[in-house]
């Protein structure tokens, strides 16, 4: 990087703070003349020199009002002003004041300020050297002997101040740039990856327009009626589109929620089948042509589990497939994906017979923003893939022979490896677990595990237990002692959490007199308790086994229709949700803001409210506060209020629950999630 480029970079870095620098400089230089002249008199002062410094700093404070001609020279003015007013001025004044303590300290302060303002170590070294040398020459011309009061130990102090300041500021700058780079990489990566599903959606919409007649008429001279076969084809296309949208939506949500301090957080990791994830990725990938799927061959000897996230690994495969298909026009092109085990790791090989990569370039392919041989490529995909695989405690390598093939090797540790145990141990400290039971020994053992893993443990007696507590505490797992719970409470409890991803463990002793008959849906969660070590293994396995929510049958609807109010300013979402709820047998009332909703509540009885959190006129948050606290709506004080939101972090969820929100739905929610959530709260 040239000196000019370094100056430009330094100016852009500090530009947002130039106003404050200019303000303090233009006021501070004249002000300190009176301090050092009258309050704490020094041997030498120079008001004209201070006024020159103030004049140089003034354009920083009024840069918005400077003439356009000034913008051509603003960077040069910036560097000259900082160097003249800080190292030069303070060094010269220190020499003229015969190296007094006050001016030695002031010169050290000037060094630190110049380092903070101009973070580039080379610029500081060059301009500080020039400024100090110029100050020494001017001092010598003014007083001939510049060594009065000087001691060589000062050079040690100044050098230490300079070097430590440079090191700390440089390290801080590197950290800032790293965060900025990661943010740009991540956001660009999401945008880049969404091109694929958006392209697929665009193509399918073209097909829909082609299949749909402009009018429904049987006049042969006009457009024909649509056939049953075409209706089925339209429905298939729409189903495919919904799948594409859901995949894209889940990918974005997962990627956004997985990022923590410039790394991928393992909080969403579970035990997953490599076969299932790879097979799903190959099935949902947006091939440009249907024939492209036949170019991919998948072979697996033994299916293994890995500890990670299916959406993130699918993201990796999408990137590798996209890169491979870039050269699909090459003769005999194909992609072979192989999975096999070796020692304590699972190896995934993705080999394409495309153009290949020159050996001199392979070392750079995982570097951010590096790209070779591809137009309109950001160079972000492979660097993020490496972050994903590293987060899985694995590694990714590339081997290539130019004009023959390229092979990516992904190595993932077995779930029994020590490094996975370490990740799971750290994750357990973030979990919240509920124990329902009355037996002291079980509680002692579970408390022992809570101490070992540092997870949050809540224990409750099953007598008079209120299942609403589950929603208020966001448990990750519920351990239930079957000898302490009645069948009706067990059924009610399980139905309540069936639509969630909360894990359940049912504890039963071999010698229990009381036997509860468990249904087939309960059986996978049954655990016969003998020793705390077995409970520990069952708990960690259950916590990290991905649970899919159980779909409750909604065919039987109560003869007395429940009335649901949808409150949202988005007419499309009201229409979508309203149709689904009406088809499920509910009465639906719509409102476009919180104030309209409150008016409806005064006129009719509502059984459940679907409320958007942000709306014009009155938000869902304000409307919820009114419903929960205003006596005017006392008849709806306990009505379930389900909040719609585009994104909800933990802090936001807790705030909304504190003001009275009952449950949450992310927009857009699928038909199954919407109906299951509504059904759950209307049948509790």
């Amino acid at each position: 990087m040239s000196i000019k480029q370094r100056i430009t970079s330094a100016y852009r870095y500090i530009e947002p703070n130039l106003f404050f620098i200019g303000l303090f400089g233009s006021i501070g230089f004249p002000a300190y003349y009176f301090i050092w002249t009258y309050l704490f008199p020094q041997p030498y002062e120079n008001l004209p020199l201070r006024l020159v410094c103030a004049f140089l700093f003034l354009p920083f404070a009024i840069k918005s009002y400077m003439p356009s001609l000034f913008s051509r020279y603003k960077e040069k003015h910036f560097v000259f002003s900082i160097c003249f007013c800080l190292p030069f001025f303070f060094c010269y004044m220190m020499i003229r004041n015969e190296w007094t303590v006050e001016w030695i300290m002031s010169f050290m302060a000037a060094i630190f300020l110049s380092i903070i303002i101009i973070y580039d170590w080379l610029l500081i070294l060059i301009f500080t050297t020039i400024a100090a040398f110029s100050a020494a020459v001017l001092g010598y011309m003014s007083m001939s002997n510049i060594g009065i009061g000087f001691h060589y130990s000062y050079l040690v102090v100044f050098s230490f101040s300079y070097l430590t300041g440079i090191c700390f500021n440089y390290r801080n700058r590197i950290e800032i740039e790293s965060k900025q780079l990661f943010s740009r990489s991540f956001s660009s990566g999401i945008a880049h990856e969404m091109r694929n599903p958006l392209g697929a959606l665009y193509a399918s919409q073209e097909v829909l327009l082609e299949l749909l007649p402009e009018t429904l008429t049987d006049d042969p001279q006009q457009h024909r009626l649509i056939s049953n076969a075409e209706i089925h084809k339209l429905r298939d296309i729409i189903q495919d589109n919904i799948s594409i949208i859901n995949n894209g939506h889940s990918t974005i949500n997962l990627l956004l929620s997985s990022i923590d301090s410039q790394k991928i957080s393992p909080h969403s990791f579970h035990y997953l089948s490599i076969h299932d994830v790879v097979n799903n990725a190959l099935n949902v990938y947006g091939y440009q042509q249907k024939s492209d799927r036949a170019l991919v061959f998948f072979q697996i000897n033994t299916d293994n589990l890995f500890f990670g996230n299916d959406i993130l690994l699918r993201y990796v495969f999408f990137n590798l497939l996209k890169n491979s298909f870039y050269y699909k026009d090459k003769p005999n092109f194909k992609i072979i994906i192989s999975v096999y085990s070796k020692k304590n790791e699972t190896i995934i090989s993705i080999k394409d017979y495309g153009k290949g990569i020159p050996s001199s370039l392979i070392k750079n392919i995982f570097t951010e923003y590096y790209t070779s041989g591809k137009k309109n490529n950001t160079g972000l995909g492979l660097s993020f893939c490496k972050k994903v695989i590293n987060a899985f405690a694995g590694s990714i390598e590339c081997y290539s022979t130019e004009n023959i093939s390229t092979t990516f090797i992904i190595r993932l540790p077995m779930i029994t490896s020590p490094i996975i145990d370490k990740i799971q141990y750290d994750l357990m400290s973030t979990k919240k677990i509920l124990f329902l039971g009355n037996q002291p020994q079980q509680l002692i053992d579970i408390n022992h595990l809570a101490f070992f893993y540092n997870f949050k443990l809540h224990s409750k007696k099953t007598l008079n237990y209120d299942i609403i507590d589950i929603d208020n505490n966001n448990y990750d797992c519920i351990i239930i002692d079957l000898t302490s719970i009645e069948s009706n409470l067990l059924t009610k409890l399980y139905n309540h959490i069936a639509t969630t991803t909360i894990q359940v463990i049912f504890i039963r002793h071999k010698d229990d007199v009381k036997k509860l008959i468990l249904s087939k849906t309960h059986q996978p969660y049954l655990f016969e308790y003998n020793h705390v070590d077995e409970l520990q293994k069952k708990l960690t396995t259950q916590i990290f086994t991905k649970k899919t929510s159980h779909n409750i049958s909604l065919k039987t609807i109560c003869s007395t229709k429940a009335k649901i109010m949808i409150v949202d300013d988005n007419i499309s979402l009201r229409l979508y949700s309203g149709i689904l709820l009406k088809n499920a047998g509910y009465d639906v009332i719509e409102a476009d803001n919180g104030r309209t909703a409150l008016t409806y509540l005064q006129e009719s009885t509502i059984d459940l409210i679907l409320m958007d959190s942000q709306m014009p006129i009155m938000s869902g948050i304000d409307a919820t506060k009114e419903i929960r606290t205003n006596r005017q709506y006392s008849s709806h004080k306990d009505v379930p209020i389900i909040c719609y939101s585009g994104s909800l972090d933990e802090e936001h969820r807790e705030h909304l629950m504190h003001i009275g929100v009952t449950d949450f739905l992310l927009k857009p929610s699928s038909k199954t999630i919407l109906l299951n959530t509504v059904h759950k709260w209307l049948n509790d």
Side-chain angles (χ1 to χ4, degrees):
M1 186 183 294
S2 66
I3 296 297
K4 184 177 180 181
Q5 290 174 323
R6 288 176 178 271
I7 291 174
T8 301
S9 178
Y11 180 83
R12 289 177 178 174
Y13 171 70
I14 201 64
E15 188 175 19
N17 296 316
L18 278 182
F19 170 78
F20 299 102
I21 294 172
L23 186 65
F24 285 115
S26 57
I27 296 174
F29 276 103
Y32 268 87
Y33 172 80
F34 296 99
I35 293 174
W36 294 134
T37 302
Y38 300 107
L39 292 180
F40 306 101
Q42 299 295 306
Y44 175 80
E45 259 304 334
N46 190 326
L47 181 60
L49 188 59
R50 285 186 174 276
L51 292 176
V52 171
C53 291
F55 178 76
L56 288 172
F57 267 83
L58 184 61
F60 297 151
I62 59 172
K63 62 186 181 71
S64 300
Y65 304 98
M66 295 295 290
S68 57
L69 182 64
F70 175 77
S71 61
R72 298 183 184 180
Y73 307 99
K74 61 183 181 181
E75 295 172 3
K76 297 182 179 64
H77 165 262
F78 161 72
V79 173
F80 176 79
S81 299
I82 298 302
C83 295
F84 182 89
C85 300
L86 291 177
F88 172 80
F89 172 82
F90 283 92
C91 185
Y92 176 72
M93 295 296 289
M94 178 178 62
I95 293 172
R96 291 301 304 268
N97 281 281
E98 300 177 353
W99 303 83
T100 61
V101 174
E102 291 84 354
W103 278 101
I104 290 175
M105 293 175 66
S106 297
F107 178 63
M108 291 176 62
I111 290 176
F112 277 110
L113 281 173
S114 60
I115 289 172
I116 292 172
I117 295 172
I118 304 177
Y119 70 88
D120 190 293
W121 69 272
L122 184 60
L123 291 182
I124 296 171
L125 178 62
I126 294 173
F127 293 118
T128 301
T129 302
I130 294 173
F133 180 77
S134 301
V137 171
L138 184 61
Y140 179 79
M141 294 172 60
S142 304
M143 54 188 297
S144 68
N145 186 3
I146 63 174
I148 300 174
F150 171 76
H151 194 279
Y152 283 103
S153 61
Y154 296 162
L155 294 178
V156 177
V157 176
F158 294 153
S159 300
F160 178 78
S161 301
Y162 172 78
L163 291 174
T164 53
I166 285 290
C167 289
F168 282 113
N169 195 55
Y170 179 75
R171 182 68 186 86
N172 182 57
R173 178 59 186 166
I174 290 297
E175 183 71 16
I176 293 172
E177 288 182 343
S178 177
K179 290 180 179 179
Q180 292 174 342
L181 180 63
F182 186 84
S183 299
R184 291 197 299 269
S185 166
F186 181 64
S187 58
S188 299
I190 289 180
H192 186 66
E193 291 311 310
M194 289 312 296
R195 292 176 184 171
N196 192 54
L198 287 176
L201 286 175
Y202 177 84
S204 65
Q205 299 310 306
E206 293 280 2
V207 176
L208 288 175
L209 286 175
E210 185 68 24
L211 290 174
L212 282 173
E214 294 184 8
T215 58
L216 289 177
T217 174
D218 54 2
D219 186 349
Q221 301 300 320
Q222 303 295 325
H223 295 284
R224 57 178 172 74
L225 279 171
I226 189 168
S227 67
N228 286 332
E230 289 172 327
I231 289 176
H232 289 303
K233 183 176 288 189
L234 288 173
R235 292 185 63 86
D236 289 340
I237 292 172
I238 293 171
Q239 290 290 347
D240 289 341
N241 288 349
I242 291 173
S243 177
I244 291 170
I245 293 170
N246 285 337
N247 286 332
H249 190 258
S250 60
T251 299
I252 289 178
N253 281 340
L254 189 278
L255 292 175
L256 289 174
S257 63
S258 293
I259 300 305
D260 179 24
S261 301
Q262 302 185 69
K263 62 183 180 181
I264 295 174
S265 169
H267 286 90
S268 62
F269 288 6
H270 294 91
Y271 296 136
L272 296 163
S273 160
I274 289 178
H275 172 272
D276 291 347
V277 174
V278 176
N279 204 49
N280 176 263
L282 297 180
N283 289 335
V284 301
Y285 179 76
Y287 300 96
Q288 290 184 350
Q289 300 174 353
K290 286 188 176 181
S291 58
D292 288 350
R293 177 63 181 89
L295 299 175
V296 184
F297 300 88
F298 178 38
Q299 52 194 31
I300 181 170
N301 295 330
T302 304
D303 187 20
N304 288 326
L305 297 180
F306 76 100
F307 190 65
N309 183 278
D310 53 341
I311 295 176
L312 287 173
L313 187 59
R314 189 174 68 197
Y315 176 97
V316 171
F317 273 91
F318 282 3
N319 268 278
L320 298 180
L321 288 171
K322 176 193 63 185
N323 291 339
S324 297
F325 275 119
Y326 192 85
Y327 302 107
K328 70 176 183 179
D329 294 332
K330 182 187 173 185
N332 301 318
F333 174 86
K334 62 181 176 180
I335 301 171
I336 299 177
I337 300 175
S338 306
V339 179
Y340 56 94
S341 302
K342 187 177 181 181
K343 295 182 179 179
N344 286 326
E345 60 185 12
T346 300
I347 298 175
I348 306 173
S349 169
I350 302 97
K351 184 174 184 178
D352 72 74
Y353 291 85
K355 184 178 179 181
I357 305 172
S359 57
S360 60
L361 303 180
I362 287 182
K363 62 181 180 180
N364 298 318
I365 63 171
F366 294 110
T367 304
E368 287 169 323
Y369 297 109
Y370 177 82
T371 182
S372 175
K374 298 176 185 177
K375 296 180 180 179
N376 302 319
N377 196 297
T378 62
L380 293 166
L382 288 178
S383 64
F384 195 79
C385 288
K386 186 177 180 66
K387 287 184 172 68
V388 169
I389 301 302
N390 288 344
F392 295 167
S395 63
I396 182 170
E397 307 151 9
C398 180
Y399 303 93
S400 184
T401 302
E402 196 170 1
N403 295 320
I404 296 179
S405 67
T406 299
T407 304
F408 284 90
I409 300 294
I410 298 174
R411 304 178 188 274
L412 298 175
M414 297 289 190
I415 60 173
T416 55
S417 63
I419 191 169
I420 298 300
D421 289 341
K422 174 64 170 61
I423 296 173
Q424 291 177 359
Y425 178 84
D426 293 338
L427 284 175
M428 284 296 291
S429 65
T430 67
K431 303 301 181 182
K432 187 181 291 186
I433 295 172
L434 171 67
F435 172 64
L436 293 178
N438 303 327
Q439 292 197 17
Q441 185 57 48
Q442 291 180 7
L443 183 58
I444 291 172
D445 289 345
I446 294 172
N447 268 306
H448 174 76
L449 294 179
F451 177 80
F452 177 73
Y453 285 111
N454 196 31
F455 59 74
K456 293 181 180 178
L457 176 64
H458 293 214
S459 60
K460 300 289 179 67
K461 302 289 186 180
T462 56
L463 187 64
N464 300 325
Y465 178 70
D466 186 357
I467 62 174
I468 301 300
D469 178 68
I470 294 174
D471 302 289
N472 295 335
N473 285 281
N474 299 315
Y475 295 114
D476 297 286
C477 181
I478 300 176
I479 303 173
I480 303 173
D481 176 19
L482 290 179
T483 62
S484 307
I485 192 169
E486 297 298 328
S487 298
N488 58 343
L489 178 57
L490 177 64
T491 303
K492 188 175 182 181
L493 182 67
Y494 187 80
N495 288 340
H496 186 80
I497 64 175
T499 57
T500 73
T501 56
I502 299 174
Q503 291 288 6
V504 185
I505 297 176
F506 298 115
I507 292 180
R508 183 172 68 189
H509 290 270
K510 290 182 179 179
D511 55 352
D512 282 345
V513 177
K514 179 181 178 181
K515 294 287 185 180
L516 285 176
I517 306 300
L518 296 180
S519 66
K520 290 183 179 180
T521 57
H522 295 73
Q523 289 291 340
Y525 307 103
L526 183 62
F527 168 67
E528 293 207 350
Y529 185 85
N530 287 315
H531 193 271
V532 65
D533 291 342
E534 296 176 1
L535 177 60
Q536 175 185 359
K537 184 177 180 181
K538 178 68 175 180
L539 178 62
T540 54
T541 301
Q542 204 72 14
I543 283 283
F544 297 116
T545 299
K546 189 171 184 180
K547 176 192 173 188
T548 55
S549 58
H550 177 66
N551 294 334
I552 297 174
S553 176
L554 297 173
K555 294 180 179 178
T556 305
I557 302 295
C558 181
S559 57
T560 304
K561 289 186 177 181
K563 188 174 291 186
I564 298 173
M565 179 189 292
I566 304 173
V567 189
D568 199 303
D569 59 316
N570 187 325
I571 188 171
S572 298
L573 190 138
R574 295 203 311 269
L575 178 64
Y576 163 77
S577 302
I579 290 174
L580 294 179
L581 292 170
K582 288 175 183 176
N583 288 343
Y586 298 107
D587 282 338
V588 176
I589 295 177
E590 297 181 22
D592 57 359
N593 62 73
R595 185 171 296 171
T596 306
L598 294 179
T599 302
Y600 283 151
L601 291 179
Q602 295 175 3
E603 300 171 354
S604 59
T605 301
I606 302 297
D607 298 297
L608 183 141
I609 301 173
L610 294 170
M611 182 96 72
D612 186 23
S613 60
Q614 300 296 328
M615 292 177 288
I617 303 178
M618 177 181 278
S619 70
I621 296 174
D622 292 336
T624 300
K625 290 178 181 177
E626 285 290 308
I627 296 168
R628 298 306 190 209
T629 59
N630 194 328
R631 291 184 179 179
Q632 190 174 358
Y633 311 104
S634 58
S635 60
H636 292 89
K637 180 182 176 182
D638 299 319
V639 68
I641 299 178
I642 300 172
C643 176
Y644 266 123
S645 182
S647 62
L648 288 168
D649 55 37
E650 192 64 30
E651 184 178 349
H652 192 196
R653 286 174 66 99
E654 290 180 0
H655 170 68
L656 292 179
M657 293 185 75
H658 179 72
I659 66 172
V661 170
T662 312
D663 205 345
F664 305 94
L665 281 173
L666 282 173
K667 305 193 216 186
S669 290
S670 68
K671 171 184 176 181
T672 300
I673 293 175
L674 172 65
L675 296 182
N676 283 344
T677 303
V678 168
H679 178 83
K680 177 180 74 173
W681 288 106
L682 288 177
N683 288 274
D684 275 345

